[in-house]
């Protein structure tokens, strides 16, 4: 499972060299969905809610491995116990969360009575998936659906991420703040990854 950890731009060079540190309560990240607006939800939350001072952020993308567990995967205001000890369980929880929401949607469309019974959501989703195997991917490509499902979720890992596990850096906006500054000074930089590697 790929994840993204958002950090102020000023921390990027250090992270690419030393890895992502964890706080006393763990390392916070978000499952990478491939939907840009959703993957940047936490950045928008930080800047719009003023929970933190407004800053420019970069997303540090890495693959979660078994060594990063135990972990937690919940709403940020929910239970933060690191009780997921297996990578397959973490991946299954992600999939089941999507299916549960699909079942909820089906129940709401069918009748208010079904919509009240949460235990019916998974069977409804599984039945729909059996009839139409493409329904899962269809929903996972929908920003509206995936945003409603995961927008304030977080993964908390119990270990730091070494620099050699970092796959790429993604910007908060369309371009990195530092890259824009460099472009104004030296002209366009075609390969962002090469730029960051040269900065180490």
């Amino acid at each position: 499972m790929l994840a993204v950890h958002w950090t102020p731009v000023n921390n990027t060079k250090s992270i690419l060299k030393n890895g992502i540190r964890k706080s006393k309560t763990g390392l916070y990240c978000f499952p990478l969905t491939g939907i840009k607006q959703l993957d940047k939800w936490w950045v928008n939350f930080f800047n719009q809610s003023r929970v933190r001072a407004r800053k420019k952020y970069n997303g540090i993308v890495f693959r979660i491995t078994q060594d990063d567990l135990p972990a937690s995967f919940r709403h940020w205001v929910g239970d933060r116990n690191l009780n997921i000890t297996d990578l397959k369980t973490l991946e299954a929880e992600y999939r089941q969360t999507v299916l549960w929401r699909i079942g909820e949607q089906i129940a709401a469309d069918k009748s208010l009575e079904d919509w009240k019974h949460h235990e019916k959501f998974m069977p409804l989703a599984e039945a729909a998936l059996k009839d139409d195997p493409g329904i899962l991917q269809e929903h996972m490509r929908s920003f509206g659906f995936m945003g409603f499902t995961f927008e304030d979720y977080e993964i908390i890992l119990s270990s730091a991420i070494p620099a050699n596990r970092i796959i790429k850096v993604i910007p908060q906006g369309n371009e990195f703040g530092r890259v824009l500054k460099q472009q104004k000074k030296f002209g366009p930089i075609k390969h962002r990854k090469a730029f960051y590697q040269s900065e180490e």
Side-chain angles (χ1 to χ4, degrees):
M1 175 185 285
L2 294 179
V4 58
H5 169 79
W6 290 98
T7 187
V9 169
N10 291 343
N11 295 341
T12 306
K13 183 178 177 180
S14 174
I15 286 176
L16 289 176
K17 183 177 180 180
N18 303 310
I20 311 171
R21 298 178 181 177
K22 75 177 186 72
S23 68
K24 291 180 180 179
T25 55
L27 189 151
Y28 291 74
C29 57
F30 184 81
L32 199 69
T33 66
I35 301 172
K36 289 181 180 180
Q37 305 99 308
L38 177 57
D39 292 337
K40 297 175 182 180
W41 187 88
W42 279 105
V43 174
N44 294 329
F45 175 77
F46 293 154
N47 285 333
Q48 291 175 9
S49 67
R50 299 191 179 183
V51 171
R52 304 180 183 182
R54 290 181 67 91
K55 293 182 180 180
K56 290 290 185 182
Y57 289 83
N58 280 336
I60 312 299
V61 177
F62 63 95
R63 186 177 300 279
I64 298 173
T65 69
Q66 181 64 41
D67 292 337
D68 302 325
L69 307 185
S72 172
F73 179 48
R74 293 286 185 273
H75 290 282
W76 72 284
V77 292
D79 181 6
R80 293 189 174 188
N81 289 331
L82 304 183
N83 53 9
I84 300 174
T85 58
D86 182 80
L87 189 58
K88 288 184 178 179
T89 302
L90 178 61
E91 292 169 345
E93 285 219 13
Y94 180 85
R95 183 177 185 273
Q96 287 169 1
T97 302
V98 174
L99 285 175
W100 193 89
R101 286 295 187 193
I102 291 173
E104 180 186 39
Q105 188 178 75
I106 294 169
D109 291 342
K110 289 180 70 172
S111 75
L112 184 61
E113 186 63 29
D114 278 345
W115 188 77
K116 292 178 181 178
H117 299 286
H118 293 187
E119 70 277 4
K120 294 185 178 182
F121 294 170
M122 283 301 290
L124 285 169
E126 294 287 359
L129 187 61
K130 187 175 180 180
D131 292 339
D132 179 8
I135 193 172
L136 183 61
Q137 288 303 316
E138 178 185 336
H139 280 77
M140 289 178 72
R141 287 192 296 267
S142 166
F143 167 63
F145 175 84
M146 290 294 284
F148 177 69
T149 302
F150 286 118
E151 62 180 10
D152 60 349
Y153 266 60
E154 64 185 6
I155 297 174
I156 307 175
L157 303 175
S158 57
S159 68
I161 304 299
N164 63 7
R165 294 254 311 280
I166 295 171
I167 296 172
K168 65 178 179 178
V169 178
I170 59 176
Q172 171 180 336
N174 295 324
E175 290 288 354
F176 298 99
R178 291 175 61 208
V179 169
L180 287 174
K181 184 177 179 181
Q182 292 291 324
Q183 285 179 345
K184 288 178 182 177
K185 189 173 182 181
F186 301 110
I189 297 171
K190 293 182 180 179
H191 302 291
R192 295 172 184 157
K193 186 176 181 182
F195 166 71
Y196 277 107
Q197 286 174 343
S198 70
E199 287 285 291
E200 292 182 22

